[in-house]
Structure formats: C-alpha cells, structure tokens
Amino acid sequence: MNDKFSRRRLIQALAASGAMAAASPVLSRTAWPILGSERGPLRIVFYTDVHANPDPETAAALKLAAKGINAWKPDLVLGGGDLVEGDFHMSAEDVAPSWDAFMAMHKAVKGEHHVAIGNRDLVGVLPKDGSPPIADPRLMFKQRLGLDRTYRAFDARGYHVMLLDAVHISDDQYKYHGWISPEQQDWIKAELSRIPRGKPIILTLHLPLLTAFFGATKGMTLGAPPNRVVANNREVLALFAEHNLVLVLQGHLHVSELLRWHGTTFITGGAVCGRWWRGSYYGTVEGINGITLHPDRVEWEYIDYGWHDARP
Ligand SMILES: [Fe+2]
C-alpha cells in the first residue's frame, strides 16, 4: 500500500466517520440489498484460515481472535476451515498440539459455532514413511468437533445455512482438488427440495466457488490451479440457480474479497493468520468478518482483531 491508501489513513478516515465505535478497527465496510429473512437481523462472524499451531505467539493471537469474535456479539459464528496448521504428511499425533491450540480458541468463542473443513485439517494422507493413507484423514476434524459428517445444514433465524466439504484428495501433483463430490451434490439437491423456494441460503466452504484473485494476481487470461478453487463450481452453483443463495462464505486464499454474481455475494474471508502468521497478504491483514443480515440488506465489515506479527 502506498501512503495515500495506508492502513493508518484508512483507520483515521473510518474513525472520523464514526465507524470505529467497537474496540477493534474496521478496515472495510459496505452494504448491499438482499431478500433476507423477516426473522432477522442475524449477526454472523465468519472467520477462516486460522492455521493454529503450538507456538506461544499463536496462542496469544488466538486469544485476541476469540475476544474480537465475542466483542462483535454474533448470533452465529462460522469458521471457513484450515483451522490447524496440519498437512497431508503429518500424523494425527503430529497435529494434536495444533488441535489443542485451535480448540482453546473454539472453546473461548461464545454461542452457536460451526466450522467447515479445510485441506490443512486432513491428516495422514501421505505418511512420511511411505505407508498407505490412514483409513479416514477427516477423523481428527470430526472427533475434535464432535461431528459424524463434514458437511451439514441447519436453520438460523429463517436462513438455511449449509457447510460443505470442498476438499477432494487427488493422486496428481496437486495432492488435492477443490471439488464438491457427487454424494454431496445429491445431499444438496435433497436439502433444497425440502426448503421453501425463496428461503435465503448461506453457504460456507473452504475453497472458493468464485473469485477474482487469480485474474488480479496472475493475469486475466490465466485460470486457477485445481487446488486453489472449487473446480466443479459451475455444477455446484447450478444446483442453486432457482434458489435464493444470498451469501457464499469462503476461505483458502487468505485475502479479503467481495464478488457479486447473479444475485449471490461471494465473500473470501481474509485469514485469522494473515500471511501464515507473517503479516498481511496482498494487503489483507489478520482479521475476521462481521456480517449482519437484515430482511432487506446485508452489512459486512472486515475487522482487525488486534494481533500483528512483531517477529523479525
Ligand atoms: Fe489456509
């Protein structure tokens, strides 16, 4: 960022406009119309890409993140995956201290709280000793969060909230693809068939269903690799074509982005860990999203929860 658009000047401008009534600085804010639920308002905090690890610095950051989430007083908290800093080579044992760190944050967050799975939350896919993958690389995620399935749906004040599992293990150079399985697509169809046609829907998943990130950073003629986005996004979005999909909350890219297409707003939610605990990434600082759904509009803001990397 140059001086003209520096973060300090943005914060000063927001403070002058009265946008900083809360303790944590709001870095971006906007609103747009929707056909929402008459039972609103519904206040949601959406956070993503925590990358929890056993580092004491991270524990301090996660305490601040939980405090920032609670200070916003949400009715519902949604997490977008990559909760821990695991990887496909790690065993359940290797990643256990990172899960302890994440669960401390999870427990500190008050109220209703649901999280989607990210690629970093799978373990034992490619064991270091060359042994075959473990029977269920998602088991740790499910066990720690008390879940029997990684995709699910619930009602929140007249909104149908759906969490998807967008990680598909592949045997190519990418190791995984963003992909919504046929089994999940059947489940989506069944869910949609039993809710009223106009009911507003919120989707939460780890890899983006739609993004301008690769156009902006690589060039508009280049597509995204299959491990960075949901590769069968058009197929998935077509399932919602006759429905009121108001919001898609997505992560993975660690940048804050808003994109509106066919009446749906896609929010790429930045990252709790910013640039993997090393500052900001493409101008997005460590932050969380505050979203208020009114019957006629959505208000969204990206909030600096107060932790910044001070390490050299
Ligand atoms: Fe991530």
Side-chain angles (χ1 to χ4, degrees):
M1 283 189 187
N2 63 30
D3 180 57
K4 194 175 166 199
F5 297 106
S6 73
R7 190 161 147 231
R8 179 172 295 180
R9 297 213 17 189
L10 178 60
I11 290 169
Q12 283 167 349
L14 286 164
S17 72
M20 280 184 58
S24 302
V26 173
L27 300 177
S28 307
R29 168 180 283 170
T30 192
W32 60 91
I34 55 161
L35 285 173
S37 160
E38 292 299 327
R39 289 165 56 198
L42 175 69
R43 285 171 67 81
I44 298 176
V45 164
F46 172 56
Y47 71 84
T48 186
D49 292 82
V50 180
H51 291 246
N53 61 44
D55 186 335
E57 279 274 352
T58 307
L62 298 187
K63 265 187 195 155
L64 280 176
K67 206 171 151 194
I69 293 168
N70 293 335
W72 210 78
K73 300 201 185 320
D75 303 303
L76 173 65
V77 179
L78 297 172
D82 275 10
L83 310 172
V84 297
E85 214 161 76
D87 70 39
F88 280 15
H89 300 291
M90 290 169 96
S91 66
E93 231 167 49
D94 294 336
V95 86
S98 296
W99 272 105
D100 293 342
F102 173 71
M103 291 312 294
M105 172 188 159
H106 190 272
K107 284 193 187 93
V109 169
K110 294 176 190 146
E112 191 174 352
H113 186 175
H114 302 269
V115 295
I117 192 167
N119 50 291
R120 293 281 192 161
D121 305 320
L122 275 66
V123 292
V125 179
L126 297 164
K128 282 174 267 189
D129 62 5
S131 57
I134 63 169
D136 183 1
R138 291 164 166 83
L139 186 63
M140 191 114 182
F141 174 90
K142 291 185 285 189
Q143 277 182 341
R144 288 292 187 128
L145 294 156
L147 300 168
D148 51 16
R149 207 170 60 178
T150 50
Y151 56 93
R152 59 232 189 257
F154 58 94
D155 185 273
R157 212 167 285 175
Y159 290 87
H160 198 64
V161 183
M162 302 173 82
L163 294 125
L164 302 184
D165 179 339
V167 186
H168 171 73
I169 298 166
S170 65
D171 53 10
D172 59 11
Q173 55 173 313
Y174 299 106
K175 300 191 177 82
Y176 65 93
H177 292 184
W179 187 260
I180 305 299
S181 63
E183 174 195 318
Q184 266 184 100
Q185 290 193 43
D186 287 345
W187 170 79
I188 291 169
K189 283 179 211 158
E191 282 288 310
L192 295 179
S193 71
R194 64 175 192 80
I195 65 168
R197 192 41 71 101
K199 187 170 182 177
I201 301 166
I202 300 168
L203 269 188
T204 305
L205 77 174
H206 185 60
L207 290 100
L209 277 176
L210 210 61
T211 176
F213 178 78
F214 296 92
T217 59
K218 308 281 182 219
M220 287 301 281
T221 57
L222 297 174
N227 61 344
R228 306 294 280 149
V229 294
V230 173
N232 60 344
N233 67 325
R234 289 177 299 168
E235 213 176 299
V236 176
L237 288 171
L239 301 176
F240 293 90
E242 304 298 321
H243 293 267
N244 184 12
L245 180 60
V246 294
L247 272 187
V248 175
L249 307 175
Q250 51 193 27
H252 196 49
L253 303 180
H254 294 221
V255 295
S256 174
E257 171 195 35
L258 258 65
L259 194 70
R260 193 160 166 83
W261 176 252
H262 286 189
T264 299
T265 303
F266 298 78
I267 299 180
T268 310
V272 170
C273 75
R275 185 173 172 262
W276 296 265
W277 300 117
R278 287 290 183 273
S280 65
Y281 188 60
Y282 286 100
T284 296
V285 305
E286 305 87 347
I288 57 176
N289 301 266
I291 300 163
T292 309
L293 292 128
H294 297 277
D296 63 344
R297 70 188 189 283
V298 182
E299 290 165 358
W300 162 87
E301 54 195 34
Y302 191 68
I303 305 158
D304 175 350
Y305 67 82
W307 187 84
H308 301 286
D309 182 34
R311 292 168 286 196

